[in-house]
Amino acid sequence: MKSYTILLLAVVIISCSPEQNQEPVIAYQNVTAIDAVNGSRDGQTVIIRGKEILQIGLASEVEVPSEGTVIDASGKFLIPGLWDAHVHLSYEEDLSPAMFSLFLVNGITSIRDTGGQLDLVMPWKEKSLIDEEASPRVMVAGPLLDGVPTVYSGEGGRPNLGLGASTPEKAELLVDEFVS
C-alpha cells in the first residue's frame, strides 16, 4: 500500500510541475504599438509566445529571452485585433465560406452576428470554435425581432434574418425561447 501512495504522490507532483511551453517565443523589436487607450507608442518590443503577449515595453528596457526569435519591426505597426460588431453571416450565403479569411486578413479577429436564422449562423459559430486558427471569434445575437410584417422576412429578395412578433407578449415568448 505504501508504494502505491508514493507512486500517487509522484504522479501528483509531476502533474503539478510547470510545463515547458513548447510554443516559440517571438520578439518584435522597435515596433510602433497601437494602444487603444493611449495611442501609438514608438520604439516598443513586444514579446509573444503562442497566443499570449508576455511583455510590452521600450525596446531599450525589455530583455528578449535567449530562445526567442527577434524580428526587427522598425517602421512597422502592431495593433490589437479588431472587432466587426455588425455582421450578418447568413445575409449572402454564397459569401459566407469566404468571410472568415477575409476578416482575418484585414485584422478583424472577432465578429458579432447581429441578426440571422440560427440554423444558418450557428454552424459558423461552431466552425470558429473548432478551427480557432483560421477563424475570428464569433458572437451570435440570434434573429432580428421585429413587428409584423418583418422587414427581413425573406420577401422582396432580402434574406430571412428576423422573426415577427405581433404583440409584446409574443415578443417576450420569442426572447424567452432564445434565452433558454
Side-chain angles (χ1 to χ4, degrees), residues 32-48:
T32 299
I34 305 300
D35 180 333
V37 174
N38 301 308
S40 65
R41 296 185 290 162
D42 296 328
Q44 301 291 300
T45 291
V46 179
I47 300 177
I48 299 171

Side-chain angles (χ1 to χ4, degrees), residues 1-178:
M1 185 67 146
K2 192 173 192 179
S3 62
Y4 290 116
T5 305
I6 292 171
L7 179 60
L8 179 60
L9 182 59
V11 169
V12 170
I13 290 171
I14 290 169
S15 67
C16 291
S17 300
E19 285 184 22
Q20 291 294 334
N21 193 329
Q22 300 303 317
E23 294 280 341
V25 173
I26 301 173
Y28 296 92
Q29 285 188 321
N30 299 309
V31 70
T32 299
I34 305 300
D35 180 333
V37 174
N38 301 308
S40 65
R41 296 185 290 162
D42 296 328
Q44 301 291 300
T45 291
V46 179
I47 300 177
I48 299 171
R49 176 182 287 133
K51 295 181 180 182
E52 182 181 1
I53 298 171
L54 300 177
Q55 188 175 6
I56 300 174
L58 286 172
S60 60
E61 298 175 3
V62 173
E63 186 176 329
V64 177
S66 59
E67 78 274 11
T69 300
V70 177
I71 296 174
D72 180 12
S74 299
K76 307 286 190 239
F77 297 83
L78 278 178
I79 66 170
L82 302 172
W83 272 87
D84 188 333
H86 193 133
V87 171
H88 296 285
L89 289 170
S90 63
Y91 192 87
E92 187 65 53
E93 287 183 65
D94 293 343
L95 292 177
S96 296
M99 289 178 126
F100 282 6
S101 61
L102 291 172
F103 286 125
L104 293 176
V105 77
N106 286 289
I108 297 169
T109 59
S110 301
I111 62 172
R112 179 179 63 121
D113 187 278
T114 56
Q117 297 301 317
L118 288 177
D119 62 326
L120 299 175
V121 175
M122 290 310 290
W124 295 109
K125 168 74 174 182
E126 291 162 11
K127 180 183 181 338
S128 75
L129 296 171
I130 292 167
D131 192 6
E132 293 177 351
E133 297 297 321
S135 307
R137 286 180 291 182
V138 176
M139 307 301 154
V140 175
L144 300 171
L145 297 182
D146 201 354
V148 175
T150 68
V151 174
Y152 289 101
S153 62
E155 297 174 12
R158 291 184 175 159
N160 184 2
L161 301 178
L163 297 173
S166 55
T167 66
E169 294 77 24
K170 175 69 175 167
E172 281 185 41
L173 287 173
L174 287 170
V175 169
D176 289 344
E177 180 181 322
F178 286 110

